[in-house]
Amino acid sequence: MPIAHNLGFPHLGAARELKRATEGYWSGKLSLPQLLKTGAELRASHWRLQQDAGIDLIPSNDFSNYDRMLDICALVGAVPKRYGWSGGPVDMETYFAMARGVQSGGRDLTAMEMTKWFDTNYHYLVPEFEPGQTFRLSSSKPEDEFQEAKALGIHTKPVLIGPVTFLLQGKARTARLDRLTLLDALLPVYAEVLSRLSAAGATWVQLDEPCLALDRTAPERAAFVRAYRFLAERAPKVKLLVATYFAGLDDNLPTALELPVAGLHVDAVRATGHLDTLLQAWPAGGGREGKVLSLGVIDGRNIWKADLAAVLRQLETAQERAGAAQLWVAPSCSLQHVPVDVDLETRLDSELKGWLAFARQKLVEVATVTRALREGRDSVAAQLDANARTLAGRRTSRRIHNPAVKQRARGVTEHDMRRTSPHATRRKKQLRLPVFPTTTIGSFPQTAEVRNARKRLHEGKLSPAEYDAFIAEQITRTLKLQEELGLDVLVHGEFERNDMVEYFGEQLEGFAFTEHGWVQSYGSRYVKPPIIYGDVSRPKPMTVRWSTFAQSKTARPVKGMLTGPVTILQWSFVRDDQPRAETAKQLALAIRDEVMDLAAAGIRVIQIDEPALREGLPLRRAEWPGYLEWAVNAFRLATAGVSDATQIHTHMCYSEFNDVIRVIEKMDADVISIENARSGSELLEGFKEYRYPNEIGPGVYDIHSPRVPSTAEIVQAVKRMQEVLGDRQIWVNPDCGLKTRGWEETLSSLRNMVQAARQLRPVPAAAAATD
């Protein structure tokens, strides 16, 4: 009989209960037992929700207090030495120190590196490995949470990130190291975990191996086989489901079929063109061992209702091959990438809301198609009919299509995407700044006072005029602080903005917004991605008012701050009825209009942030050229209309940028600021082999940690840059915006940063003579 199961559920809570509890614990307002109690309550609620939705096999250990890769580090004792862990269970103090760093009690510890999880906007903590790394069981979390659910009468499927993906997604910080040489040391700990889960009563355990869906070498494929042979031998009583997702298996399919496991999960949403190949290769009836085929047919990465009739056709074909007893139905991946429940949205209009499915609704879709497989389509005829009507209504809705927008996009030429002169010529016409110019990335702390003012405006307790006066006061104060610090290029602080994507989407046609559509970005940081449902255009200027106000308050240059078209695309839930490239072009034209208006208003430095450009890369390298062509063209289209005198900046963060460093040059930004601090200056290694021609600001300190870097630390960071970049190329800046930080640490860090830049500047000849 087909089984409905789930790979993972969002752990934040419908009202972001986990965020409040975690930050309350960090601030000392909540105790550790109170934090743990909140987690237990959320887990129980989520298990029951999935049970009520009709899910037969519910996951456990998919919950995390910060990050699931960090959970595995704690589980196997992969704690970097600097945190002073002496063995035994990894306590919560050590766990959060690894995530956030520590600067108190005489300790000054940097956090672990953070980067994007495959091609999502979720950030994970990168495991750190060293030669001779040892592992030991150091947490009972998987077993504890299985027992929690069991006490509630719910038999769950514990979920772990698989051993090979854990190693491949980690890094060696101190020496070149083949991470897979650590596999033999790691596998016994995984086997021990599986044996404990089996002894506790677990029947199935899900091991997530998304790395198996990427380009892999022969030794890497062999490592998967070796790992699962070991686990099958050492923990034979528990059934293993290897879950792959985010891409199709393609040339890794033979390896996946060779694994001695009880089941294999495949992302049928991302592997649409390869499902026939999988089914042809799948042993009839699951083979002699009766291997389970789990098909992820409901999109776990987007929020549109599925075409249930089309999904059923896929499943019925698969059932003929795999057999009814060996077919499982699931979302394509964990549902952590979508909001919890669309029923919480009371302000969305009924037509648009009817097109959407969040995590809870996706589980119902899984249960519906599973029931159809078990009992026949007639058993869910009403649901199928309602779904068909909804999809037909969406296809023909007038709100989706704007002929003028489509016509303008069709008229774009190569000339529209090219600056008038090359960078070397433009540079001579742009701002005259000292060597090692200092700036920030854009945002300044969004304090409780700022958030409360925005809330009161929405509640009608603050008039628009009063709110504008408050924002003007914040901007004026922040400009003065930046002048006192000695920054060379200022920003207005973005106090009027709720989010770097949502703020723009609210002012563009073709966007919709939720009240409760939160998804996790990292740790306790959550975002509400906008919904792009139709053709995109800009009805009127979006940022000119506050940018020109800020510039009127200072003689120093103030950057106009925009979010780029690719990032708006990547950080939104995007319509699935046209190619993403076409939506990106529409967004680029809208941002181009804003860039032109800012330049016409006298803003001489305009930053168009593209932190998501790298994360949008397809997971398979063969598909990179096509994506990079339209993504880079979108940025160029947005920025190329201004004169040579306008300095175009862009910003990127928390991705593996060495993969695309040569492509970044093609974007032709005058200045790029880029994350560098948390990755241990790994980015600079790429510049040893490649001479980047334009100006660049590799981040000199990590803003996702509350610690304050010393002036000496920042001086050393810039000196490392000087080894691979010319002095006139280097900008000095943090590695990301300061929105999530407090004022005290922000001002202390920036004061040290400016002082470091001044120490490194050549002493003027006259001053040297006087001395």
Side-chain angles (χ1 to χ4, degrees):
M1 182 173 68
I3 294 293
H5 77 114
N6 185 26
L7 274 62
F9 194 80
H11 51 255
L12 68 161
R16 292 185 295 164
E17 293 91 335
L18 184 60
K19 173 184 175 69
R20 285 196 290 273
T22 302
E23 293 178 353
Y25 172 69
W26 291 341
S27 68
K29 295 176 182 177
L30 291 183
S31 66
L32 180 58
Q34 288 173 306
L35 171 63
L36 298 178
K37 180 175 182 287
T38 298
E41 290 171 348
L42 286 171
R43 289 191 293 273
S45 172
H46 296 163
W47 289 327
R48 292 190 180 102
L49 182 154
Q50 293 173 81
Q51 192 175 51
D52 292 343
I55 299 302
D56 302 308
L57 193 52
I58 295 165
S60 60
N61 199 48
D62 55 331
F63 175 90
S64 176
N65 279 295
Y66 199 95
D67 170 61
R68 289 180 59 222
M69 284 288 275
L70 182 61
D71 292 346
I72 297 294
C73 290
L75 179 69
V76 303
V79 180
K81 291 180 180 178
R82 64 182 177 277
Y83 299 109
W85 177 63
S86 57
V90 174
D91 61 292
M92 200 61 86
E93 181 181 356
T94 301
Y95 178 89
F96 283 133
M98 294 161 72
R100 306 177 70 232
V102 175
Q103 196 170 46
S104 64
R107 298 202 301 167
D108 187 2
L109 307 174
T110 58
M112 292 170 63
E113 180 182 347
M114 184 167 65
T115 196
K116 297 293 178 69
W117 181 245
F118 297 90
D119 60 346
T120 74
N121 186 33
Y122 174 72
H123 304 67
Y124 76 99
L125 275 298
V126 180
E128 297 177 19
F129 303 128
E130 60 183 15
Q133 176 94 35
T134 59
F135 301 99
R136 59 188 124 164
L137 185 60
S138 305
S139 169
S140 58
K141 180 178 180 294
E143 183 182 351
D144 292 344
E145 293 183 11
F146 175 81
Q147 295 283 21
E148 261 183 53
K150 189 176 180 181
L152 297 173
I154 301 173
H155 186 84
T156 60
K157 163 174 55 80
V159 178
L160 302 167
I161 291 170
V164 183
T165 290
F166 175 69
L167 291 177
L168 290 176
Q169 293 299 106
K171 289 183 179 178
R173 293 294 299 270
T174 57
R176 290 194 176 275
L177 172 69
D178 178 358
R179 291 154 293 177
L180 292 180
T181 60
L182 303 176
L183 188 60
D184 289 341
L186 177 65
L187 288 174
V189 182
Y190 267 82
E192 185 176 356
V193 173
L194 294 176
S195 296
R196 286 172 175 254
L197 287 169
S198 177
T203 307
W204 283 89
V205 174
Q206 175 185 314
L207 291 168
D208 288 356
E209 294 283 11
C211 278
L212 189 54
L214 276 63
D215 296 311
R216 298 267 68 103
T217 64
E220 289 168 344
R221 292 187 185 113
F224 280 102
V225 176
R226 181 159 57 91
Y228 284 91
R229 282 179 178 165
F230 181 95
L231 296 178
E233 292 170 359
R234 295 286 293 270
K237 294 183 179 180
V238 68
K239 297 179 179 180
L240 301 182
L241 174 74
V242 168
T244 67
Y245 40 79
F246 299 154
L249 290 167
D250 297 351
D251 52 346
N252 296 326
L253 178 57
T255 301
L257 294 176
E258 187 182 348
L259 300 180
V261 295
L264 176 68
H265 173 83
V266 177
D267 184 339
V269 174
R270 289 291 188 96
T272 50
H274 306 278
L275 188 56
D276 288 345
T277 302
L278 167 66
L279 294 178
Q280 289 171 11
W282 193 261
R288 185 174 55 195
E289 299 84 8
K291 183 177 287 189
V292 163
L293 173 61
S294 169
L295 287 184
V297 291
I298 301 300
D299 192 350
R301 295 277 298 275
N302 214 333
I303 44 75
W304 305 105
K305 281 187 175 177
D307 183 340
L308 296 185
V311 167
L312 264 177
R313 288 192 292 272
Q314 279 185 313
L315 291 171
E316 287 162 352
T317 301
Q319 186 170 246
E320 291 177 5
R321 183 68 184 176
Q326 276 68 49
L327 182 64
W328 288 11
V329 183
S332 59
C333 60
S334 169
L335 295 175
Q336 78 171 91
H337 306 290
V338 296
V340 174
D341 188 359
V342 78
D343 287 345
L344 298 175
E345 303 300 331
T346 58
R347 295 186 182 178
L348 281 176
D349 68 82
S350 58
E351 181 186 35
L352 179 57
K353 184 176 177 180
W355 300 344
L356 306 179
F358 292 177
R360 182 166 169 262
Q361 288 71 38
K362 287 178 182 295
L363 294 175
V364 173
E365 290 183 327
V366 169
T368 298
V369 294
T370 305
R371 183 182 175 192
L373 288 177
R374 293 173 181 166
E375 304 173 21
R377 290 191 178 215
D378 288 347
S379 64
V380 292
Q383 293 94 317
L384 295 179
D385 289 344
N387 177 256
R389 287 194 301 273
T390 297
L391 298 182
R394 181 182 166 207
R395 281 192 298 270
T396 58
S397 175
R398 292 182 179 180
R399 69 194 304 172
I400 289 178
H401 306 291
N402 184 329
V405 172
K406 295 182 188 297
Q407 183 177 359
R408 186 185 181 197
R410 285 194 297 268
V412 170
T413 66
E414 174 62 29
H415 175 77
D416 297 321
M417 298 182 286
R418 190 167 58 241
R419 295 287 296 269
T420 303
S421 306
H423 171 71
T425 302
R426 300 195 302 264
R427 186 175 187 178
K428 297 172 184 177
K429 302 177 183 178
Q430 294 172 358
L431 297 171
R432 298 293 182 185
L433 296 168
V435 67
F436 306 123
T438 55
T439 190
T440 63
I441 302 306
S443 61
F444 267 77
Q446 292 253 338
T447 61
E449 182 186 17
V450 173
R451 294 192 300 271
N452 186 53
R454 188 180 302 127
K455 180 182 178 183
R456 291 176 65 208
L457 173 70
H458 292 164
E459 292 173 345
K461 297 177 181 178
L462 202 64
S463 72
E466 290 171 324
Y467 179 73
D468 286 352
F470 172 81
I471 294 298
E473 180 186 353
Q474 296 295 312
I475 292 172
T476 302
R477 172 177 172 269
T478 300
L479 290 168
K480 184 178 180 181
L481 287 170
Q482 291 174 83
E483 289 177 329
E484 292 171 352
L485 287 167
L487 289 162
D488 298 301
V489 177
L490 314 185
V491 297
H492 77 288
E494 303 182 13
F495 300 104
E496 79 284 10
R497 305 184 187 185
N498 46 8
D499 174 83
M500 67 181 291
V501 173
E502 186 174 359
Y503 177 77
F504 291 95
E506 286 175 342
Q507 302 180 75
L508 294 169
E509 298 289 346
F511 278 76
F513 301 89
T514 64
E515 293 179 90
H516 305 282
W518 299 99
V519 294
Q520 186 182 22
S521 177
Y522 67 88
S524 67
R525 167 77 169 147
Y526 300 99
V527 294
K528 278 191 302 174
I531 299 166
I532 304 178
Y533 66 83
D535 290 332
V536 176
S537 61
R538 187 200 72 147
K540 60 183 180 180
M542 301 179 287
T543 66
V544 174
R545 175 193 176 193
W546 288 120
S547 294
T548 53
F549 170 81
Q551 188 61 82
S552 74
K553 296 294 181 180
T554 178
R556 299 188 190 187
V558 178
K559 287 192 283 191
M561 300 299 306
L562 305 174
T563 302
V566 177
T567 295
I568 294 177
L569 184 87
Q570 288 294 129
W571 292 358
S572 299
F573 292 121
V574 183
R575 59 188 295 187
D576 57 359
D577 61 336
Q578 73 176 13
R580 292 172 72 85
E582 186 62 26
T583 304
K585 185 188 289 187
Q586 294 177 2
L587 285 162
L589 288 168
I591 299 301
R592 180 188 181 94
D593 292 342
E594 189 71 13
V595 170
M596 297 294 285
D597 282 348
L598 283 168
I603 305 300
R604 296 190 61 191
V605 185
I606 303 173
Q607 181 170 308
I608 301 93
D609 289 344
E610 283 291 18
L613 188 137
R614 167 60 181 84
E615 82 184 38
L617 274 175
L619 297 180
R620 293 287 184 154
R621 284 183 178 265
E623 300 171 18
W624 282 18
Y627 163 78
L628 288 170
E629 180 179 7
W630 65 254
V632 169
N633 282 347
F635 181 85
R636 292 170 60 211
L637 178 59
T639 58
V642 295
S643 71
D644 288 353
T646 301
Q647 190 174 71
I648 295 294
H649 289 226
T650 190
H651 169 66
M652 298 180 176
C653 60
Y654 296 104
S655 285
E656 300 298 316
F657 286 108
N658 282 334
D659 290 339
V660 293
I661 202 164
R662 286 170 172 79
V663 175
I664 291 172
E665 179 186 348
K666 296 180 181 179
M667 295 169 68
D668 199 24
D670 295 302
V671 181
I672 177 174
S673 57
I674 199 163
E675 184 276 325
N676 179 62
R678 197 157 186 165
S679 59
S681 298
E682 180 182 303
L683 170 76
L684 299 180
E685 292 297 314
F687 291 113
K688 289 182 178 180
E689 301 176 0
Y690 173 65
R691 196 71 179 175
Y692 184 72
N694 298 8
E695 297 169 58
I696 184 167
V700 295
Y701 74 91
D702 173 25
I703 68 87
H704 290 88
S705 169
R707 68 180 293 274
V708 175
S710 67
T711 298
E713 181 182 331
I714 296 173
V715 167
Q716 289 305 309
V718 178
K719 285 184 175 180
R720 287 194 294 271
M721 298 176 200
Q722 289 179 287
E723 297 173 8
V724 294
L725 295 166
D727 287 1
R728 281 289 175 187
Q729 287 183 280
I730 299 171
W731 284 62
V732 179
N733 47 257
D735 63 9
C736 207
L738 301 167
K739 176 180 179 178
T740 61
R741 301 271 51 96
W743 272 108
E744 182 178 355
E745 68 203 62
T746 293
L747 294 177
S748 296
S749 297
L750 291 177
R751 191 172 292 112
N752 292 347
M753 186 187 82
V754 172
Q755 182 61 31
R758 288 175 172 170
Q759 285 184 20
L760 288 160
R761 288 171 183 162
V763 178
T770 301
D771 292 344

